[in-house]
mmCIF file of all heavy atoms in Angstrom:
data_model
loop_
_atom_site.group_PDB
_atom_site.id
_atom_site.type_symbol
_atom_site.label_atom_id
_atom_site.label_comp_id
_atom_site.label_asym_id
_atom_site.label_seq_id
_atom_site.Cartn_x
_atom_site.Cartn_y
_atom_site.Cartn_z
ATOM 1 N N SER A 1008 100.655 72.245 110.134
ATOM 2 C CA SER A 1008 101.673 72.973 110.917
ATOM 3 C C SER A 1008 101.670 72.489 112.371
ATOM 4 O O SER A 1008 102.731 72.371 112.985
ATOM 5 C CB SER A 1008 101.452 74.484 110.839
ATOM 6 O OG SER A 1008 100.204 74.843 111.361
ATOM 7 N N GLU A 1009 100.478 72.167 112.905
ATOM 8 C CA GLU A 1009 100.406 71.610 114.262
ATOM 9 C C GLU A 1009 101.059 70.236 114.347
ATOM 10 O O GLU A 1009 101.603 69.864 115.382
ATOM 11 C CB GLU A 1009 98.945 71.391 114.675
ATOM 12 C CG GLU A 1009 98.176 72.577 115.083
ATOM 13 C CD GLU A 1009 96.728 72.180 115.386
ATOM 14 O OE1 GLU A 1009 96.423 70.970 115.511
ATOM 15 O OE2 GLU A 1009 95.902 73.085 115.484
ATOM 16 N N GLN A 1010 100.950 69.491 113.293
ATOM 17 C CA GLN A 1010 101.383 68.097 113.290
ATOM 18 C C GLN A 1010 102.775 67.898 112.690
ATOM 19 O O GLN A 1010 103.182 66.755 112.457
ATOM 20 C CB GLN A 1010 100.368 67.244 112.509
ATOM 21 C CG GLN A 1010 98.989 67.219 113.115
ATOM 22 C CD GLN A 1010 98.968 66.540 114.467
ATOM 23 O OE1 GLN A 1010 99.746 65.624 114.739
ATOM 24 N NE2 GLN A 1010 98.085 66.988 115.332
ATOM 25 N N SER A 1011 103.499 68.964 112.465
ATOM 26 C CA SER A 1011 104.791 68.842 111.766
ATOM 27 C C SER A 1011 105.751 67.893 112.478
ATOM 28 O O SER A 1011 106.475 67.128 111.833
ATOM 29 C CB SER A 1011 105.421 70.219 111.575
ATOM 30 O OG SER A 1011 105.643 70.847 112.819
ATOM 31 N N PHE A 1012 105.756 67.921 113.790
ATOM 32 C CA PHE A 1012 106.642 67.012 114.525
ATOM 33 C C PHE A 1012 106.164 65.563 114.377
ATOM 34 O O PHE A 1012 106.966 64.671 114.106
ATOM 35 C CB PHE A 1012 106.718 67.422 116.002
ATOM 36 C CG PHE A 1012 107.687 66.591 116.791
ATOM 37 C CD1 PHE A 1012 109.057 66.782 116.661
ATOM 38 C CD2 PHE A 1012 107.230 65.599 117.650
ATOM 39 C CE1 PHE A 1012 109.967 65.994 117.382
ATOM 40 C CE2 PHE A 1012 108.129 64.822 118.366
ATOM 41 C CZ PHE A 1012 109.496 65.014 118.230
ATOM 42 N N ASN A 1013 104.868 65.318 114.560
ATOM 43 C CA ASN A 1013 104.322 63.964 114.414
ATOM 44 C C ASN A 1013 104.538 63.405 113.017
ATOM 45 O O ASN A 1013 104.762 62.209 112.842
ATOM 46 C CB ASN A 1013 102.815 63.938 114.727
ATOM 47 C CG ASN A 1013 102.543 63.930 116.209
ATOM 48 O OD1 ASN A 1013 103.416 63.611 117.013
ATOM 49 N ND2 ASN A 1013 101.333 64.300 116.576
ATOM 50 N N PHE A 1014 104.451 64.278 112.031
ATOM 51 C CA PHE A 1014 104.566 63.848 110.648
ATOM 52 C C PHE A 1014 105.933 63.245 110.333
ATOM 53 O O PHE A 1014 106.080 62.473 109.379
ATOM 54 C CB PHE A 1014 104.280 65.042 109.728
ATOM 55 C CG PHE A 1014 103.975 64.670 108.310
ATOM 56 C CD1 PHE A 1014 102.828 63.974 107.985
ATOM 57 C CD2 PHE A 1014 104.835 65.041 107.291
ATOM 58 C CE1 PHE A 1014 102.538 63.642 106.671
ATOM 59 C CE2 PHE A 1014 104.552 64.720 105.974
ATOM 60 C CZ PHE A 1014 103.401 64.016 105.667
ATOM 61 N N MET A 1015 106.911 63.525 111.164
ATOM 62 C CA MET A 1015 108.278 63.073 110.902
ATOM 63 C C MET A 1015 108.544 61.636 111.341
ATOM 64 O O MET A 1015 109.556 61.054 110.953
ATOM 65 C CB MET A 1015 109.279 64.025 111.570
ATOM 66 C CG MET A 1015 109.240 65.399 110.944
ATOM 67 S SD MET A 1015 110.170 66.735 111.744
ATOM 68 C CE MET A 1015 111.453 65.980 112.640
ATOM 69 N N SER A 1016 107.646 61.019 112.111
ATOM 70 C CA SER A 1016 107.887 59.649 112.576
ATOM 71 C C SER A 1016 106.704 58.747 112.237
ATOM 72 O O SER A 1016 105.572 59.208 112.092
ATOM 73 C CB SER A 1016 108.124 59.624 114.087
ATOM 74 O OG SER A 1016 106.919 59.886 114.784
ATOM 75 N N LYS A 1017 106.964 57.453 112.167
ATOM 76 C CA LYS A 1017 105.903 56.492 111.885
ATOM 77 C C LYS A 1017 104.835 56.532 112.973
ATOM 78 O O LYS A 1017 103.636 56.567 112.668
ATOM 79 C CB LYS A 1017 106.468 55.081 111.753
ATOM 80 C CG LYS A 1017 105.379 54.054 111.429
ATOM 81 C CD LYS A 1017 105.902 52.651 111.415
ATOM 82 C CE LYS A 1017 104.845 51.616 111.095
ATOM 83 N NZ LYS A 1017 103.507 51.826 111.595
ATOM 84 N N ASP A 1018 105.257 56.517 114.232
ATOM 85 C CA ASP A 1018 104.280 56.563 115.329
ATOM 86 C C ASP A 1018 103.447 57.843 115.269
ATOM 87 O O ASP A 1018 102.239 57.816 115.505
ATOM 88 C CB ASP A 1018 104.977 56.457 116.684
ATOM 89 C CG ASP A 1018 105.534 55.060 116.951
ATOM 90 O OD1 ASP A 1018 105.113 54.110 116.257
ATOM 91 O OD2 ASP A 1018 106.381 54.928 117.857
ATOM 92 N N GLY A 1019 104.085 58.948 114.965
ATOM 93 C CA GLY A 1019 103.366 60.223 114.853
ATOM 94 C C GLY A 1019 102.365 60.198 113.712
ATOM 95 O O GLY A 1019 101.233 60.673 113.850
ATOM 96 N N ARG A 1020 102.789 59.640 112.571
ATOM 97 C CA ARG A 1020 101.865 59.537 111.427
ATOM 98 C C ARG A 1020 100.708 58.601 111.760
ATOM 99 O O ARG A 1020 99.561 58.857 111.381
ATOM 100 C CB ARG A 1020 102.615 59.093 110.175
ATOM 101 C CG ARG A 1020 103.531 60.170 109.607
ATOM 102 C CD ARG A 1020 104.096 59.798 108.253
ATOM 103 N NE ARG A 1020 104.926 58.591 108.286
ATOM 104 C CZ ARG A 1020 106.232 58.580 108.559
ATOM 105 N NH1 ARG A 1020 106.875 59.710 108.818
ATOM 106 N NH2 ARG A 1020 106.912 57.442 108.556
ATOM 107 N N ASP A 1021 100.984 57.521 112.497
ATOM 108 C CA ASP A 1021 99.901 56.629 112.934
ATOM 109 C C ASP A 1021 98.899 57.387 113.801
ATOM 110 O O ASP A 1021 97.681 57.206 113.663
ATOM 111 C CB ASP A 1021 100.452 55.426 113.710
ATOM 112 C CG ASP A 1021 101.105 54.384 112.826
ATOM 113 O OD1 ASP A 1021 100.814 54.361 111.600
ATOM 114 O OD2 ASP A 1021 101.898 53.582 113.367
ATOM 115 N N GLU A 1022 99.391 58.237 114.693
ATOM 116 C CA GLU A 1022 98.503 59.070 115.519
ATOM 117 C C GLU A 1022 97.666 59.996 114.642
ATOM 118 O O GLU A 1022 96.466 60.186 114.888
ATOM 119 C CB GLU A 1022 99.321 59.902 116.512
ATOM 120 C CG GLU A 1022 99.871 59.136 117.685
ATOM 121 C CD GLU A 1022 100.676 60.039 118.618
ATOM 122 O OE1 GLU A 1022 100.281 61.223 118.807
ATOM 123 O OE2 GLU A 1022 101.694 59.559 119.139
ATOM 124 N N MET A 1023 98.302 60.579 113.640
ATOM 125 C CA MET A 1023 97.586 61.474 112.736
ATOM 126 C C MET A 1023 96.480 60.725 112.000
ATOM 127 O O MET A 1023 95.341 61.215 111.899
ATOM 128 C CB MET A 1023 98.553 62.114 111.730
ATOM 129 C CG MET A 1023 99.529 63.092 112.337
ATOM 130 S SD MET A 1023 100.810 63.632 111.175
ATOM 131 C CE MET A 1023 99.842 64.693 110.084
ATOM 132 N N ILE A 1024 96.790 59.537 111.505
ATOM 133 C CA ILE A 1024 95.799 58.739 110.792
ATOM 134 C C ILE A 1024 94.633 58.395 111.710
ATOM 135 O O ILE A 1024 93.459 58.480 111.313
ATOM 136 C CB ILE A 1024 96.455 57.475 110.180
ATOM 137 C CG1 ILE A 1024 97.360 57.866 109.012
ATOM 138 C CG2 ILE A 1024 95.396 56.461 109.741
ATOM 139 C CD1 ILE A 1024 98.252 56.750 108.501
ATOM 140 N N SER A 1025 94.931 58.029 112.934
ATOM 141 C CA SER A 1025 93.887 57.714 113.903
ATOM 142 C C SER A 1025 93.010 58.940 114.183
ATOM 143 O O SER A 1025 91.780 58.850 114.205
ATOM 144 C CB SER A 1025 94.517 57.194 115.193
ATOM 145 O OG SER A 1025 93.529 56.949 116.159
ATOM 146 N N GLU A 1026 93.646 60.062 114.409
ATOM 147 C CA GLU A 1026 92.889 61.288 114.682
ATOM 148 C C GLU A 1026 92.043 61.688 113.477
ATOM 149 O O GLU A 1026 90.873 62.069 113.624
ATOM 150 C CB GLU A 1026 93.839 62.432 115.043
ATOM 151 C CG GLU A 1026 93.077 63.727 115.309
ATOM 152 C CD GLU A 1026 93.985 64.921 115.548
ATOM 153 O OE1 GLU A 1026 95.104 64.964 115.007
ATOM 154 O OE2 GLU A 1026 93.531 65.819 116.282
ATOM 155 N N LEU A 1027 92.598 61.602 112.291
ATOM 156 C CA LEU A 1027 91.843 61.949 111.083
ATOM 157 C C LEU A 1027 90.645 61.015 110.903
ATOM 158 O O LEU A 1027 89.576 61.447 110.474
ATOM 159 C CB LEU A 1027 92.759 61.926 109.851
ATOM 160 C CG LEU A 1027 93.770 63.065 109.801
ATOM 161 C CD1 LEU A 1027 94.871 62.764 108.777
ATOM 162 C CD2 LEU A 1027 93.096 64.399 109.510
ATOM 163 N N GLY A 1028 90.808 59.756 111.274
ATOM 164 C CA GLY A 1028 89.683 58.814 111.231
ATOM 165 C C GLY A 1028 88.574 59.231 112.191
ATOM 166 O O GLY A 1028 87.385 59.149 111.865
ATOM 167 N N SER A 1029 88.957 59.683 113.366
ATOM 168 C CA SER A 1029 87.971 60.164 114.344
ATOM 169 C C SER A 1029 87.240 61.398 113.832
ATOM 170 O O SER A 1029 86.021 61.535 114.002
ATOM 171 C CB SER A 1029 88.639 60.491 115.675
ATOM 172 O OG SER A 1029 89.158 59.331 116.268
ATOM 173 N N ILE A 1030 87.969 62.296 113.201
ATOM 174 C CA ILE A 1030 87.355 63.498 112.628
ATOM 175 C C ILE A 1030 86.388 63.109 111.506
ATOM 176 O O ILE A 1030 85.280 63.646 111.421
ATOM 177 C CB ILE A 1030 88.443 64.479 112.131
ATOM 178 C CG1 ILE A 1030 89.232 65.028 113.321
ATOM 179 C CG2 ILE A 1030 87.824 65.613 111.306
ATOM 180 C CD1 ILE A 1030 90.505 65.790 112.948
ATOM 181 N N GLN A 1031 86.799 62.162 110.676
ATOM 182 C CA GLN A 1031 85.907 61.681 109.608
ATOM 183 C C GLN A 1031 84.609 61.144 110.207
ATOM 184 O O GLN A 1031 83.510 61.446 109.719
ATOM 185 C CB GLN A 1031 86.593 60.591 108.788
ATOM 186 C CG GLN A 1031 87.772 61.049 107.984
ATOM 187 C CD GLN A 1031 88.653 59.888 107.544
ATOM 188 O OE1 GLN A 1031 88.250 58.740 107.564
ATOM 189 N NE2 GLN A 1031 89.886 60.209 107.152
ATOM 190 N N ASN A 1032 84.724 60.360 111.265
ATOM 191 C CA ASN A 1032 83.543 59.787 111.912
ATOM 192 C C ASN A 1032 82.652 60.876 112.503
ATOM 193 O O ASN A 1032 81.420 60.767 112.459
ATOM 194 C CB ASN A 1032 83.947 58.771 112.980
ATOM 195 C CG ASN A 1032 84.527 57.514 112.369
ATOM 196 O OD1 ASN A 1032 84.255 57.174 111.221
ATOM 197 N ND2 ASN A 1032 85.349 56.819 113.134
ATOM 198 N N GLN A 1033 83.259 61.915 113.055
ATOM 199 C CA GLN A 1033 82.491 63.043 113.588
ATOM 200 C C GLN A 1033 81.693 63.718 112.475
ATOM 201 O O GLN A 1033 80.508 64.013 112.638
ATOM 202 C CB GLN A 1033 83.415 64.052 114.272
ATOM 203 C CG GLN A 1033 82.716 65.310 114.762
ATOM 204 C CD GLN A 1033 81.747 65.050 115.889
ATOM 205 O OE1 GLN A 1033 81.992 64.212 116.741
ATOM 206 N NE2 GLN A 1033 80.644 65.772 115.915
ATOM 207 N N PHE A 1034 82.333 63.960 111.336
ATOM 208 C CA PHE A 1034 81.627 64.580 110.210
ATOM 209 C C PHE A 1034 80.484 63.681 109.733
ATOM 210 O O PHE A 1034 79.386 64.165 109.460
ATOM 211 C CB PHE A 1034 82.588 64.860 109.053
ATOM 212 C CG PHE A 1034 83.585 65.967 109.309
ATOM 213 C CD1 PHE A 1034 84.796 65.973 108.639
ATOM 214 C CD2 PHE A 1034 83.341 67.000 110.207
ATOM 215 C CE1 PHE A 1034 85.729 66.985 108.844
ATOM 216 C CE2 PHE A 1034 84.261 68.018 110.429
ATOM 217 C CZ PHE A 1034 85.455 68.010 109.747
ATOM 218 N N ARG A 1035 80.737 62.380 109.640
ATOM 219 C CA ARG A 1035 79.684 61.443 109.199
ATOM 220 C C ARG A 1035 78.499 61.445 110.164
ATOM 221 O O ARG A 1035 77.347 61.465 109.743
ATOM 222 C CB ARG A 1035 80.243 60.028 109.085
ATOM 223 C CG ARG A 1035 81.104 59.793 107.880
ATOM 224 C CD ARG A 1035 81.516 58.311 107.798
ATOM 225 N NE ARG A 1035 82.436 58.087 106.725
ATOM 226 C CZ ARG A 1035 83.738 57.869 106.876
ATOM 227 N NH1 ARG A 1035 84.293 57.839 108.084
ATOM 228 N NH2 ARG A 1035 84.515 57.660 105.827
ATOM 229 N N ALA A 1036 78.778 61.419 111.448
ATOM 230 C CA ALA A 1036 77.711 61.401 112.450
ATOM 231 C C ALA A 1036 76.898 62.692 112.394
ATOM 232 O O ALA A 1036 75.659 62.659 112.519
ATOM 233 C CB ALA A 1036 78.297 61.191 113.846
ATOM 234 N N THR A 1037 77.566 63.806 112.199
ATOM 235 C CA THR A 1037 76.872 65.089 112.118
ATOM 236 C C THR A 1037 75.989 65.133 110.868
ATOM 237 O O THR A 1037 74.831 65.565 110.930
ATOM 238 C CB THR A 1037 77.876 66.254 112.129
ATOM 239 O OG1 THR A 1037 78.714 66.132 113.288
ATOM 240 C CG2 THR A 1037 77.175 67.600 112.156
ATOM 241 N N MET A 1038 76.516 64.661 109.749
ATOM 242 C CA MET A 1038 75.701 64.600 108.517
ATOM 243 C C MET A 1038 74.485 63.717 108.718
ATOM 244 O O MET A 1038 73.383 64.068 108.296
ATOM 245 C CB MET A 1038 76.526 64.050 107.350
ATOM 246 C CG MET A 1038 77.411 65.048 106.692
ATOM 247 S SD MET A 1038 78.204 64.377 105.211
ATOM 248 C CE MET A 1038 79.406 63.271 105.920
ATOM 249 N N LYS A 1039 74.689 62.587 109.353
ATOM 250 C CA LYS A 1039 73.597 61.625 109.531
ATOM 251 C C LYS A 1039 72.453 62.250 110.326
ATOM 252 O O LYS A 1039 71.286 62.106 109.953
ATOM 253 C CB LYS A 1039 74.118 60.370 110.227
ATOM 254 C CG LYS A 1039 73.085 59.283 110.364
ATOM 255 C CD LYS A 1039 73.690 58.029 110.971
ATOM 256 C CE LYS A 1039 72.633 56.941 111.099
ATOM 257 N NZ LYS A 1039 73.182 55.710 111.636
ATOM 258 N N ILE A 1040 72.771 62.941 111.391
ATOM 259 C CA ILE A 1040 71.712 63.521 112.213
ATOM 260 C C ILE A 1040 71.037 64.694 111.497
ATOM 261 O O ILE A 1040 69.822 64.865 111.577
ATOM 262 C CB ILE A 1040 72.223 63.903 113.626
ATOM 263 C CG1 ILE A 1040 71.035 64.104 114.564
ATOM 264 C CG2 ILE A 1040 73.125 65.100 113.602
ATOM 265 C CD1 ILE A 1040 71.412 64.155 116.023
ATOM 266 N N ILE A 1041 71.788 65.496 110.769
ATOM 267 C CA ILE A 1041 71.187 66.597 110.008
ATOM 268 C C ILE A 1041 70.297 66.040 108.901
ATOM 269 O O ILE A 1041 69.162 66.489 108.718
ATOM 270 C CB ILE A 1041 72.270 67.534 109.435
ATOM 271 C CG1 ILE A 1041 72.924 68.314 110.567
ATOM 272 C CG2 ILE A 1041 71.669 68.498 108.404
ATOM 273 C CD1 ILE A 1041 74.126 69.114 110.141
ATOM 274 N N ASP A 1042 70.803 65.052 108.181
ATOM 275 C CA ASP A 1042 70.022 64.462 107.089
ATOM 276 C C ASP A 1042 68.741 63.815 107.610
ATOM 277 O O ASP A 1042 67.687 63.907 106.970
ATOM 278 C CB ASP A 1042 70.856 63.448 106.309
ATOM 279 C CG ASP A 1042 72.003 64.096 105.536
ATOM 280 O OD1 ASP A 1042 72.022 65.342 105.416
ATOM 281 O OD2 ASP A 1042 72.888 63.351 105.077
ATOM 282 N N SER A 1043 68.816 63.174 108.773
ATOM 283 C CA SER A 1043 67.617 62.535 109.323
ATOM 284 C C SER A 1043 66.582 63.576 109.746
ATOM 285 O O SER A 1043 65.383 63.315 109.722
ATOM 286 C CB SER A 1043 67.966 61.617 110.497
ATOM 287 O OG SER A 1043 68.368 62.369 111.617
ATOM 288 N N THR A 1044 67.038 64.777 110.088
ATOM 289 C CA THR A 1044 66.132 65.865 110.431
ATOM 290 C C THR A 1044 65.504 66.464 109.174
ATOM 291 O O THR A 1044 64.331 66.853 109.181
ATOM 292 C CB THR A 1044 66.897 66.964 111.207
ATOM 293 O OG1 THR A 1044 67.513 66.380 112.343
ATOM 294 C CG2 THR A 1044 65.992 68.086 111.640
ATOM 295 N N SER A 1045 66.267 66.528 108.096
ATOM 296 C CA SER A 1045 65.785 67.121 106.846
ATOM 297 C C SER A 1045 64.881 66.181 106.056
ATOM 298 O O SER A 1045 64.001 66.639 105.325
ATOM 299 C CB SER A 1045 66.972 67.507 105.956
ATOM 300 O OG SER A 1045 67.844 68.366 106.619
ATOM 301 N N GLU A 1046 65.095 64.895 106.182
ATOM 302 C CA GLU A 1046 64.407 63.913 105.339
ATOM 303 C C GLU A 1046 62.875 64.001 105.397
ATOM 304 O O GLU A 1046 62.236 63.978 104.341
ATOM 305 C CB GLU A 1046 64.875 62.504 105.693
ATOM 306 C CG GLU A 1046 64.399 61.459 104.713
ATOM 307 C CD GLU A 1046 65.023 60.117 105.007
ATOM 308 O OE1 GLU A 1046 66.266 60.020 104.955
ATOM 309 O OE2 GLU A 1046 64.256 59.184 105.297
ATOM 310 N N PRO A 1047 62.249 64.093 106.573
ATOM 311 C CA PRO A 1047 60.779 64.171 106.571
ATOM 312 C C PRO A 1047 60.234 65.372 105.793
ATOM 313 O O PRO A 1047 59.232 65.253 105.088
ATOM 314 C CB PRO A 1047 60.423 64.277 108.057
ATOM 315 C CG PRO A 1047 61.584 63.685 108.773
ATOM 316 C CD PRO A 1047 62.780 64.021 107.932
ATOM 317 N N LEU A 1048 60.908 66.512 105.900
ATOM 318 C CA LEU A 1048 60.450 67.684 105.162
ATOM 319 C C LEU A 1048 60.718 67.526 103.665
ATOM 320 O O LEU A 1048 59.915 67.973 102.835
ATOM 321 C CB LEU A 1048 61.094 68.953 105.704
ATOM 322 C CG LEU A 1048 60.390 70.254 105.348
ATOM 323 C CD1 LEU A 1048 58.907 70.231 105.732
ATOM 324 C CD2 LEU A 1048 61.082 71.424 106.018
ATOM 325 N N ALA A 1049 61.812 66.875 103.318
ATOM 326 C CA ALA A 1049 62.084 66.595 101.906
ATOM 327 C C ALA A 1049 60.957 65.751 101.316
ATOM 328 O O ALA A 1049 60.478 66.034 100.205
ATOM 329 C CB ALA A 1049 63.429 65.882 101.757
ATOM 330 N N HIS A 1050 60.514 64.751 102.045
ATOM 331 C CA HIS A 1050 59.399 63.924 101.582
ATOM 332 C C HIS A 1050 58.126 64.752 101.463
ATOM 333 O O HIS A 1050 57.359 64.592 100.521
ATOM 334 C CB HIS A 1050 59.181 62.731 102.525
ATOM 335 C CG HIS A 1050 60.218 61.677 102.389
ATOM 336 N ND1 HIS A 1050 60.150 60.674 101.452
ATOM 337 C CD2 HIS A 1050 61.384 61.476 103.067
ATOM 338 C CE1 HIS A 1050 61.205 59.900 101.559
ATOM 339 N NE2 HIS A 1050 61.981 60.370 102.528
ATOM 340 N N HIS A 1051 57.916 65.659 102.407
ATOM 341 C CA HIS A 1051 56.746 66.539 102.378
ATOM 342 C C HIS A 1051 56.716 67.352 101.085
ATOM 343 O O HIS A 1051 55.658 67.578 100.508
ATOM 344 C CB HIS A 1051 56.757 67.462 103.597
ATOM 345 C CG HIS A 1051 55.755 68.557 103.532
ATOM 346 N ND1 HIS A 1051 54.414 68.353 103.790
ATOM 347 C CD2 HIS A 1051 55.890 69.881 103.233
ATOM 348 C CE1 HIS A 1051 53.763 69.500 103.649
ATOM 349 N NE2 HIS A 1051 54.643 70.441 103.323
ATOM 350 N N TYR A 1052 57.877 67.803 100.641
ATOM 351 C CA TYR A 1052 57.965 68.598 99.417
ATOM 352 C C TYR A 1052 58.076 67.735 98.159
ATOM 353 O O TYR A 1052 58.257 68.258 97.069
ATOM 354 C CB TYR A 1052 59.131 69.582 99.494
ATOM 355 C CG TYR A 1052 58.844 70.760 100.390
ATOM 356 C CD1 TYR A 1052 59.558 70.958 101.555
ATOM 357 C CD2 TYR A 1052 57.847 71.681 100.071
ATOM 358 C CE1 TYR A 1052 59.298 72.041 102.384
ATOM 359 C CE2 TYR A 1052 57.570 72.753 100.893
ATOM 360 C CZ TYR A 1052 58.299 72.934 102.052
ATOM 361 O OH TYR A 1052 58.030 74.002 102.866
ATOM 362 N N GLY A 1053 57.983 66.428 98.321
ATOM 363 C CA GLY A 1053 57.942 65.536 97.163
ATOM 364 C C GLY A 1053 59.254 64.916 96.768
ATOM 365 O O GLY A 1053 59.321 64.212 95.748
ATOM 366 N N LEU A 1054 60.290 65.123 97.528
ATOM 367 C CA LEU A 1054 61.580 64.509 97.216
ATOM 368 C C LEU A 1054 61.634 63.134 97.886
ATOM 369 O O LEU A 1054 62.168 62.970 98.972
ATOM 370 C CB LEU A 1054 62.741 65.395 97.676
ATOM 371 C CG LEU A 1054 64.140 64.911 97.278
ATOM 372 C CD1 LEU A 1054 64.284 64.820 95.764
ATOM 373 C CD2 LEU A 1054 65.194 65.837 97.838
ATOM 374 N N THR A 1055 61.046 62.166 97.240
ATOM 375 C CA THR A 1055 60.957 60.817 97.787
ATOM 376 C C THR A 1055 62.219 60.028 97.444
ATOM 377 O O THR A 1055 63.012 60.440 96.579
ATOM 378 C CB THR A 1055 59.742 60.080 97.222
ATOM 379 O OG1 THR A 1055 59.902 59.970 95.790
ATOM 380 C CG2 THR A 1055 58.449 60.828 97.537
#
C-alpha cells in the first residue's frame, strides 16, 4: 500500500527491488550475527 505509486512505473519498481534487496541483506546480517552467537553453545550441547 505504501508502494502503490512506485509499483506503477518501471523506475518505481526498480526502487522497490533495490529496497527489497537491502531489506534481504539486513535480515541475512542479523541472522548471521545471531547464529554466530548461538553456535558455541550449540557445540557445547553436542550439536556439532
Side-chain angles (χ1 to χ4, degrees):
S1008 61
E1009 283 177 13
Q1010 297 295 329
S1011 60
F1012 184 75
N1013 281 342
F1014 197 67
M1015 294 171 25
S1016 71
K1017 181 185 180 324
D1018 289 343
R1020 289 189 298 273
D1021 285 339
E1022 285 180 37
M1023 292 171 72
I1024 289 169
S1025 177
E1026 179 185 30
L1027 289 165
S1029 295
I1030 293 169
Q1031 293 163 17
N1032 290 336
Q1033 176 67 36
F1034 290 154
R1035 285 185 185 106
T1037 305
M1038 279 187 287
K1039 184 176 180 178
I1040 197 166
I1041 290 172
D1042 293 348
S1043 70
T1044 304
S1045 304
E1046 190 173 299
L1048 199 54
H1050 286 275
H1051 169 78
Y1052 285 115
L1054 186 60
T1055 62

